[in-house]
Amino acid sequence: MIDVVSVASEAYPLIKTGGLADVVGALPAALASHDVRLRTLVPGYPSVLGAIENAHTVAELADFFGGSGQILAGRAGGLDILAINAGHLFDRPGNPYMGADKKDWADNWKRFAALSFAAYEVGRGVMNDGYRPRILHCHDWQAALTPAYVAFNAPTQVKTVLTVHNIAFQGRFDWTIFPDLRLDYRAANEGAIEYYGGIGYLKAGLQCADALTTVSPTYALEIKGSAYGMGLDGLLRSRADALSGILNGIDDREWDPMIDPALHTHYSHNSTELRAGNKRALELRFNLDDSPGPLFAVVSRLTWQKGIDMLVEVADDLVAAGGKLIVLGSGDADIENGIAGAAARHPGKVGFVRAYDEPLSHLIQGGADIMLVPSRFEPCGLTQLYGLRYGCVPLVSRVGGLADTVIDANEAAVEAGVATGVVFAPATAEALQEAIHRAIRLYDRPKLWRKMQRRGMKSDVSWDLSAEKYAKLYRRLLGEKNDGSDDD
Ligand code: ADP
């Protein structure tokens, strides 16, 4: 049995702003059958502390980044949680990164250095019950100073893995914070945390972790090039041997159209016609008419990365071509206004719920016909995986994990019966528009459409294969032999 602590700023169902939380929340169960015992270290936000059962203090953190704190252990949301109870850093409701004014907290550098430092402390065995993990698995920039503490502060045996869920978020701060990081002075150089004259948390992790992963094989390739590497491609090329791409899976206990409590009608791959009940519920919820034609959907942060500005450009054409559109999400003001404008121009055809609504996101997967994911870059993407599982045919750009998980309905794939969606490139409004027309033509062939839905619903989007890959990576780092011969 390998003891691993997963270190992250989000974990579903306790706190979530995106796919990171889903992945962190799903990993423990996925890895349990691979002889890995995974505990999850998260900041003690109110939603986390409020959910912990039988919380008990396992470590005191005196003089902890401007106050005192403890590490609490207990069960929360089905997870084995270690939470950092430090009110001066984490006792803030709502979004974990920003205040109600949508501005990042000014002390985020301190809050997430504290998360990373606490992980390091756990890794070197400060817990009073003798618990000592052999691996710290850190997620994204918020946890990415951990490998630097391990590499430069008092030595420990613990190994570190850093998973990049999105290289666009790097945690860059001014050099003046260095004295308050509690990081050994030897880390203050370009081979460690220095990044373009400041401090880069993600950069530090990429430099110092024993192993690096990202969330799809294609993204692992892309970020080694300047087009997607966001300034870190050179470093990643130099660490190419340490980097692998392991695709995310989905938690099929949370996402199962046969039992999902958020759906009006349940269905399987043999009864996709029952999705009509969910579609009608959506039309009512979004004030759409019940005219025939495909219902396109977006469940997303409304940002440039996600390509939703391109969708704004082509929304009128989508409606003119016979489609309807629903959008759930919030984000950049311009894009929100663009979607709201399309809804105002097309009453009954375009609907917008500007919110974060987990149950509604499930109903959309269960009732819409096409899940739109026109991202400019996409490390893995989960919404297209949920779409596949729910028979909501994904229409995606050919980047990152989208390219790895959706099989385009080109003639050959349709002929062979392997198509699961519509894939377009390049990520431009013109190509998106063309893809939307192609999807509408496919939708107009009901037999073919049902076949695509069924094929998608049967494709393997589970954690099975990927959990095995993580388990193998852990064993390799610990110098243990992996069983089986397909070690890759
Ligand atoms: P990212 O993490 O880049 O935002 P992913 O596709 O990896 O994108 O994951 C997004 C996750 O957040 C999915 O679980 C998706 O269903 C969820 N999500 C995004 N926007 C909303 C929303 N407005 N309401 C509910 N869930 C949302």
Side-chain angles (χ1 to χ4, degrees):
M1 183 68 75
I2 302 179
D3 276 305
V4 179
V5 169
S6 171
V7 189
S9 57
E10 304 184 20
Y12 182 83
L14 303 172
I15 176 100
K16 167 171 168 178
T17 72
L20 167 67
D22 287 349
V23 174
V24 172
L27 275 178
L31 280 160
S33 54
H34 295 276
D35 265 357
V36 175
R37 190 165 42 211
L38 210 138
R39 302 175 88 175
T40 309
L41 175 70
V42 286
Y45 312 115
S47 65
V48 171
L49 296 185
I52 300 193
E53 297 153 27
N54 302 324
H56 53 285
T57 300
V58 289
E60 290 291 342
L61 303 166
D63 184 21
F64 188 64
F65 293 86
S68 66
Q70 299 91 33
I71 298 178
L72 306 178
R75 297 281 302 173
L79 301 170
D80 203 348
I81 285 289
L82 299 172
I84 305 167
N85 182 25
H88 59 293
L89 300 172
F90 301 124
D91 186 12
R92 301 172 201 178
N95 185 290
Y97 314 117
M98 54 178 100
D101 59 359
K102 286 195 168 184
K103 286 209 177 92
D104 284 350
W105 296 112
D107 59 351
N108 275 349
W109 65 270
K110 192 194 291 184
R111 301 169 76 226
F112 297 111
L115 171 65
S116 298
F117 189 81
Y120 160 70
E121 291 282 84
V122 169
R124 71 189 189 97
V126 298
M127 279 172 47
N128 58 23
D129 56 4
Y131 174 76
R132 191 166 190 151
R134 297 169 72 193
I135 292 180
L136 297 172
H137 186 160
C138 315
H139 300 273
D140 274 353
W141 76 264
Q142 294 89 351
L145 273 192
T146 310
Y149 288 118
V150 171
F152 290 99
N153 284 19
T156 85
Q157 295 293 310
V158 77
K159 300 283 184 195
T160 53
V161 178
L162 175 64
T163 295
V164 178
H165 296 261
N166 193 334
I167 208 158
F169 303 116
Q170 302 189 348
R172 286 175 66 174
F173 301 102
D174 197 85
W175 191 254
T176 50
I177 66 171
F178 183 76
D180 295 317
L181 291 180
R182 303 178 68 176
L183 190 53
D184 190 277
Y185 73 93
R186 289 172 302 131
N189 68 70
E190 202 187 325
I193 66 166
E194 196 273 338
Y195 190 47
Y196 292 116
I199 293 177
Y201 283 26
L202 188 67
K203 188 265 182 178
L206 293 175
Q207 192 91 58
C208 299
D210 295 306
L212 308 174
T213 72
T214 187
V215 288
S216 69
T218 295
Y219 195 60
L221 285 177
E222 287 172 344
I223 57 178
K224 281 181 280 194
S226 58
Y228 296 92
M230 307 231 169
L232 289 166
D233 43 298
L235 169 53
L236 286 167
R237 283 195 297 278
S238 76
R239 297 221 58 203
D241 289 349
L243 173 67
S244 56
I246 302 178
L247 210 50
N248 288 334
I250 70 173
D251 188 337
D252 43 21
R253 297 161 310 172
E254 292 289 331
W255 293 91
D256 180 351
M258 304 261 275
I259 54 168
D260 189 329
L263 300 190
H264 282 233
T265 48
H266 294 131
Y267 58 94
S268 74
H269 65 274
N270 283 323
S271 54
T272 49
E273 69 284 356
L274 296 176
R275 300 178 83 258
N278 297 321
K279 184 170 178 176
R280 190 63 204 126
L282 282 176
E283 285 164 349
L284 291 170
R285 177 76 190 264
F286 282 85
N287 283 321
L288 300 193
D289 60 36
D290 62 356
S291 54
L295 179 60
F296 291 81
V298 169
V299 178
S300 181
R301 295 184 284 118
L302 303 182
T303 63
W304 183 88
Q305 177 201 334
K306 300 291 182 182
I308 310 300
D309 54 317
M310 301 191 282
L311 180 62
V312 169
E313 276 186 52
V314 304
D316 291 347
D317 180 71
L318 181 154
V319 174
K324 290 186 282 187
L325 172 66
I326 56 178
V327 177
L328 170 64
S330 61
D332 297 350
D334 284 359
I335 301 181
E336 286 184 0
N337 291 339
I339 298 286
R345 285 194 303 281
H346 302 288
K349 303 292 182 196
V350 177
F352 181 23
V353 171
R354 191 184 151 283
Y356 193 94
D357 186 329
E358 190 78 29
L360 184 55
S361 75
H362 286 240
L363 182 62
I364 290 174
Q365 297 283 8
D369 298 301
I370 295 153
M371 180 53 54
L372 287 168
V373 195
S375 305
R376 288 192 171 84
F377 64 95
E378 193 59 74
C380 178
L382 291 175
T383 40
Q384 87 281 10
L385 300 182
Y386 300 137
L388 289 170
R389 182 95 173 86
Y390 276 58
C392 186
V393 173
L395 186 163
V396 305
S397 50
R398 195 166 61 224
V399 294
L402 302 173
D404 290 336
T405 53
V406 181
I407 301 173
D408 180 53
N410 57 44
E411 265 178 45
V414 167
E415 189 74 18
V418 297
T420 58
V422 174
V423 184
F424 71 94
T428 60
E430 296 72 42
L432 169 61
Q433 185 172 359
E434 212 177 287
I436 287 170
H437 282 265
R438 196 148 66 84
I440 293 175
R441 287 197 298 276
L442 291 163
Y443 180 84
D444 286 339
R445 297 165 65 189
K447 251 176 95 177
L448 168 62
W449 191 259
R450 266 198 304 278
K451 201 168 167 187
M452 263 171 63
Q453 285 179 306
R454 216 173 292 147
R455 188 81 197 186
M457 291 180 77
K458 285 175 152 181
S459 55
D460 185 2
V461 291
S462 75
W463 271 106
D464 295 349
L465 283 174
S466 300
E468 192 178 338
K469 288 188 175 152
Y470 279 119
K472 282 185 170 174
L473 173 67
Y474 297 155
R475 294 210 154 78
R476 203 154 53 218
L477 276 184
L478 296 172
E480 291 182 9
K481 257 191 134 44
N482 279 303
D483 43 3
S485 55
D486 61 337
D487 192 8
D488 49 6

